[in-house]
Amino acid sequence: MLGRLFKDVSNLKVLSFDKKKVIPFLLLHNRSIVQSLRDNGKFHQNIFRNFRIDYINSFSPEIIHFEFSGVALAFLNHIDKLKGGKVVSCRGTGENVNLLLNTERQENLKKLFEKVDAIHCVSSALKSTVLSYCRQTEKLFVNNPAIDTQLFQRKKSYREEPILTILSVGRFIFQKGYFIGLLAIKKLNEYNKNFKWVIAGSGPQCEEILFHVHQMNLHDYVILVGNKNREEIIELYNEASIFFLPSVTEGIANVVLEAMSMELPVVSTRCGGMEEAIIHGENGLLSNVYDHISLAERLAELLVNCQLRKRLGKTARKTVVEKFDLNEQINKFEKVYYQLIQGNP
């Protein structure tokens, strides 16, 4: 999939860990190495891990960037064998959720942070979360998510509709707070019935969400449209009047930045780093996590006030263009990469 996406980009190459390539790797290594891998009872796993290390190093990388801490943890026992500087990204769920009960992951994350050269956090809030796992705090840096503001640009003008669309985009998982969202929509329905809540996504909680929609008698107001590709999502942004993020935890939600870039007013919880993107009353509206009554009130306010929707939407785009543009993010990463390369000749 990624190969097709970047096939016309001349300075980027997508590689995959094809298991068929393991056979030539084995043929090039002597029996004593294979036997040592067999000894601890994890022969196949160790063979593939060593193949991955050898394959990556064959390109003599100057920088290896693990886009998620969970991916980096999969390399933990062999990461010292990798060439070049190592960067790991902390994006939210792996740090805000997975660490809570998993003490082994906590200890492994500390070991990982000792071994890598730089630790990227998508928000200052997330940096605070992982701070206690990192002894060398100078490794930590914040680089917010970014989007292509030229791609995510509104094509349709605002217009008053008899039924306004509230849009959410995201997987059906507990972190996204859809149950809280449903409670807010049920409360909103007491104030105003001239809306529909469109949710684009899928996931393990789909049946649960459908059950709650049925139990709350919200069939006429909640529409699940399934997964959509990028072009379809952009069309949904163009058709929507409000974007809704009832999440319980986030790093900084990319979909919110996309919606803001599309001049949509956002109603969001104060989860994770969202307050680093949204200033209440200036470029969006905020409520506390789990406060479905406040979320309903924010949505109700926007439904009846077109001028407020327009004002917040215009300021939202200005915020994204100034603070979350893709070129700004690239420049920050390049600066970190060059510093690591100079320190890792």
Side-chain angles (χ1 to χ4, degrees):
M1 180 179 175
L2 286 175
R4 293 195 301 271
L5 182 63
F6 296 110
K7 63 183 177 64
D8 297 323
V9 181
S10 59
N11 61 345
L12 189 149
K13 185 176 182 180
V14 177
L15 304 167
S16 64
F17 294 116
D18 187 345
K19 291 188 177 181
K20 294 179 181 177
K21 297 175 182 176
V22 175
I23 296 174
F25 168 76
L26 285 172
L27 294 174
L28 291 172
H29 291 75
N30 61 49
R31 293 181 180 179
S32 62
I33 295 177
V34 174
Q35 183 60 46
S36 69
L37 292 171
R38 189 192 302 273
D39 289 340
N40 66 3
K42 295 183 179 180
F43 175 72
H44 292 98
Q45 295 95 321
N46 283 328
I47 284 292
F48 191 65
R49 288 191 187 106
N50 279 268
F51 158 69
R52 289 190 306 183
I53 299 295
D54 185 76
Y55 188 53
I56 292 170
N57 284 340
S58 68
F59 297 95
S60 299
E62 293 178 288
I63 297 292
I64 298 174
H65 191 151
F66 299 96
E67 289 292 338
F68 296 90
S69 60
V71 175
L73 285 170
F75 284 83
L76 178 60
N77 293 332
H78 303 269
I79 201 167
D80 292 332
K81 298 178 182 178
L82 287 170
K83 297 177 180 178
K86 290 93 173 177
V87 183
V88 60
S89 284
C90 298
R91 300 190 175 277
T93 297
E95 297 75 35
N96 291 331
V97 179
N98 295 344
L99 293 176
L100 292 178
L101 296 176
N102 193 332
T103 54
E104 182 181 1
R105 189 182 179 100
Q106 293 172 10
E107 292 305 312
N108 284 340
L109 192 68
K110 292 176 184 177
K111 295 175 184 177
L112 176 69
F113 286 173
E114 290 284 330
K115 293 174 178 290
V116 299
D117 301 290
I119 304 159
H120 161 231
C121 301
V122 297
S123 66
S124 296
L126 197 55
K127 179 180 177 182
S128 297
T129 297
V130 302
L131 195 59
S132 62
Y133 298 94
C134 183
R135 290 195 308 168
Q136 299 164 290
T137 56
E138 68 277 5
K139 291 181 178 181
L140 294 163
F141 71 100
V142 175
N143 193 3
N144 296 136
I147 61 166
D148 185 343
T149 55
Q150 294 304 307
L151 176 64
F152 292 98
Q153 189 167 193
R154 194 169 190 86
K155 302 298 183 183
K156 297 183 179 180
S157 60
Y158 280 104
R159 57 190 183 276
E160 286 290 358
E161 299 281 358
I163 303 296
L164 296 178
T165 298
I166 300 168
L167 175 66
S168 294
V169 178
R171 293 192 68 223
F172 293 162
I173 52 178
F174 86 90
Q175 294 95 317
K176 297 300 178 181
Y178 284 122
F179 178 68
I180 299 161
L182 286 169
L183 292 176
I185 292 297
K186 182 173 175 60
K187 188 67 178 177
L188 175 64
N189 189 238
E190 298 175 11
Y191 312 141
N192 190 319
K193 298 185 184 299
N194 300 319
F195 71 91
K196 59 182 178 180
W197 184 23
V198 175
I199 309 175
S202 64
Q205 287 193 327
C206 185
E207 287 185 353
E208 181 181 339
I209 292 170
L210 285 170
F211 175 81
H212 291 312
V213 170
H214 176 77
Q215 289 293 97
M216 295 181 191
N217 197 26
L218 293 173
H219 322 80
D220 296 333
Y221 300 95
V222 180
I223 303 171
L224 309 184
V225 296
N227 284 326
K228 298 293 180 182
N229 61 35
R230 185 172 64 179
E231 289 71 25
E232 291 169 328
I233 293 294
I234 290 173
E235 184 58 27
L236 288 173
Y237 288 139
N238 272 310
E239 295 294 332
S241 297
I242 301 166
F243 191 86
F244 185 29
L245 186 85
S247 294
V248 297
T249 180
E250 294 281 353
I252 290 182
N254 279 52
V255 288
V256 165
L257 300 182
E258 293 171 2
M260 292 172 71
S261 186
M262 297 284 292
E263 299 181 35
L264 279 175
V266 175
V267 174
S268 171
T269 53
R270 293 183 173 91
C271 59
M274 295 316 303
E275 288 183 277
E276 296 171 43
I278 298 174
I279 301 173
H280 178 70
E282 182 175 321
N283 60 2
L285 299 177
L286 292 167
S287 294
N288 291 334
V289 175
Y290 303 117
D291 192 345
H292 69 280
I293 294 176
S294 174
L295 288 167
E297 290 170 349
R298 307 294 190 219
L299 292 169
E301 183 180 7
L302 288 175
L303 284 175
V304 300
N305 193 333
C306 183
Q307 291 306 310
L308 178 60
R309 296 199 303 271
K310 287 182 179 179
R311 177 174 67 79
L312 293 177
K314 292 287 186 184
T315 310
R317 176 165 173 83
K318 184 173 183 289
T319 299
V320 174
V321 169
E322 292 177 353
K323 292 182 60 179
F324 299 96
D325 183 70
L326 192 59
N327 289 326
E328 179 68 16
Q329 185 194 53
I330 291 170
N331 290 338
K332 286 185 179 180
F333 275 133
E334 283 187 345
K335 182 178 179 180
V336 172
Y337 292 163
Y338 283 131
Q339 288 173 343
L340 292 182
I341 289 171
Q342 291 171 0
N344 294 274

